[in-house]
Amino acid sequence: MSAPGTILPFDRVPPPTGRNPKGVTEYAEDAGFTITGVGKLGPHYATTLQNWATALHEHRDRAIELAGRDTYNAYISHMTGFADYFRHGHLDVMQFTCIKNGL
């Protein structure tokens, strides 16, 4: 699967650095927190992106009239591509619940 088109400067996930890069858990523990819950939100993102893409497709002609074909194509590619990434588990968005140790 090829990467979806880039439309926003913040939509690129930086690659991990080093042999065993730290993750959220390690950073939280280093700062004195214990993670008490992890929520995986990727499936919700997949659904939302797909719904947005469907709505945009339904209004394709008007969107192209307002923003141009290239912009329309970039957004459709972005939303459907990232929806697939989330749906297949290649990307995820997670919510961490932490408590400060000693409180």
Side-chain angles (χ1 to χ4, degrees):
M1 182 178 338
S2 62
T6 298
I7 61 170
L8 302 170
F10 53 83
D11 68 357
R12 292 186 182 175
V13 178
T17 57
R19 186 167 204 189
N20 293 306
K22 282 187 175 182
V24 172
T25 302
E26 291 85 3
Y27 282 114
E29 290 170 351
D30 288 351
F33 289 90
T34 298
I35 294 177
T36 59
V38 177
K40 297 183 97 177
L41 305 177
H44 301 291
Y45 272 65
T47 300
T48 298
L49 287 165
Q50 194 59 58
N51 288 341
W52 288 349
T54 299
L56 182 58
H57 182 72
E58 290 171 357
H59 300 280
R60 179 183 183 276
D61 293 339
R62 181 70 173 134
I64 290 172
E65 178 184 323
L66 290 170
R69 183 174 309 278
D70 289 343
T71 299
Y72 170 84
N73 288 340
Y75 273 81
I76 284 293
S77 174
H78 177 87
M79 288 186 275
T80 57
F82 275 96
D84 284 343
Y85 281 174
F86 283 113
R87 189 177 300 107
H88 293 103
H90 299 292
L91 288 176
D92 205 346
V93 175
M94 302 174 85
Q95 175 179 320
F96 294 82
T97 305
C98 304
I99 59 170
K100 185 73 172 173
N101 295 332
L103 294 181

